Amino acid sequence: MVKELERRGLRFVRYADDVAVYVRTSEAAERVMRSLGRFITGRLRLSVNEEKSSAGRPWHSKYLGFRITRLIGKTRACIHPDSVKRLRRKVRELTARDRGRSLGAVVFELNGLLRGWAEYFRPGLRETLAKELDHWIRRRLRAYLWTLWKLPRTKVRNLAERGVAHGWAVAVGNTRKGAWRLSKNGTVCAALPDDWFTRSAGVVPLASFCQ
């Protein structure tokens, strides 16, 4: 297959049995897809996965979790939105507030996920996306920790120990607002700022993997 693509002078990327071919026009893309399909089924006697095969703009297509786009006049590999959605879904599962595990146990699992994801997608990981995800992950953890504290008196004590004035600690610690809403509350964020989760809880920041 590779030799055939090279013989035709096509630009392509291949990994195992997945291949992405890049041409200049949509007409050329349709033509190449049809001719390669005939070559694969006829000459190589292999089947083509019709569901995964398509012709389209490179910034719309996904290959191994990446997409190709143009940024600031340069062609770049970026992370496909579907890959980001999958990461968010896995983070939600690990930080689900009904798990009942300690924060340390959750962070241990989370760090394994974040390291693996960031190392794989490092070539396409941009600082803007990394910081956005880091902030969202820490908000998830803030809500998780708030749920772990359970009782109002525990919440009041922990807020006070983290420098919150007594009056504010009592007011926020006794509120009936939900954990997710409180995860962006100014008092709770002051007690548990984003950098606390990196510095004290040991959460791996995705921004540290940006090139």
Side-chain angles (χ1 to χ4, degrees):
M1 181 65 179
V2 172
K3 291 182 178 180
E4 178 64 17
L5 293 172
E6 292 175 341
R7 185 185 69 79
R8 298 187 186 194
L10 295 170
R11 295 182 178 182
F12 66 94
V13 179
R14 174 181 174 269
Y15 180 80
D17 59 352
D18 289 330
V19 62
V21 180
Y22 299 96
V23 293
R24 291 185 179 275
T25 66
S26 57
E27 292 79 7
E30 295 288 351
R31 185 175 63 253
V32 168
M33 188 172 71
R34 288 195 301 270
S35 64
L36 288 178
R38 289 194 296 270
F39 175 80
I40 292 171
T41 56
R43 184 79 66 82
L44 301 181
R45 300 188 182 283
L46 299 172
S47 61
V48 177
N49 188 328
E50 298 294 341
E51 293 183 359
K52 293 177 62 177
S53 301
S54 63
R57 297 293 186 183
W59 50 87
H60 291 155
S61 61
K62 179 174 63 174
Y63 185 71
L64 301 177
F66 289 89
R67 66 188 176 102
I68 304 298
T69 190
R70 295 278 292 179
L71 289 173
I72 318 176
K74 296 183 179 180
T75 301
R76 302 174 185 268
C78 294
I79 304 172
H80 196 277
D82 287 349
S83 301
V84 178
K85 288 179 182 177
R86 280 198 296 274
L87 174 66
R88 285 180 177 268
R89 185 172 63 250
K90 291 178 181 177
V91 170
R92 287 190 183 98
E93 291 172 358
L94 292 179
T95 58
R97 292 187 288 280
D98 59 356
R99 295 191 71 200
R101 305 194 67 188
S102 69
L103 180 66
V106 171
V107 168
F108 179 80
E109 293 179 313
L110 186 62
N111 280 346
L113 169 66
L114 297 179
R115 286 194 184 97
W117 191 87
E119 286 289 358
Y120 179 82
F121 287 107
R122 187 192 288 262
L125 185 59
R126 301 288 175 259
E127 187 175 13
T128 301
L129 174 61
K131 287 185 176 180
E132 176 188 331
L133 289 171
D134 280 339
H135 178 70
W136 174 75
I137 289 167
R138 278 142 189 77
R139 187 180 174 191
R140 293 282 310 177
L141 290 171
R142 193 177 295 119
Y144 186 88
L145 187 54
W146 186 259
T147 303
L148 281 184
W149 287 348
K150 293 183 180 180
L151 299 176
R153 64 172 178 270
T154 305
K155 295 172 181 177
V156 171
R157 184 182 69 250
N158 283 320
L159 289 173
E161 288 177 351
R162 287 163 173 78
V164 175
H166 179 72
W168 282 107
V170 171
V172 175
N174 285 278
T175 184
R176 293 187 178 183
K177 294 178 181 178
W180 181 243
R181 184 175 177 181
L182 283 169
S183 65
K184 66 174 183 179
N185 174 275
T187 299
V188 179
C189 288
L192 297 168
D194 282 5
D195 64 352
W196 180 88
F197 289 96
T198 301
R199 176 173 32 84
S200 298
V203 182
V204 172
L206 291 173
S208 65
F209 292 84
C210 293
Q211 296 183 334

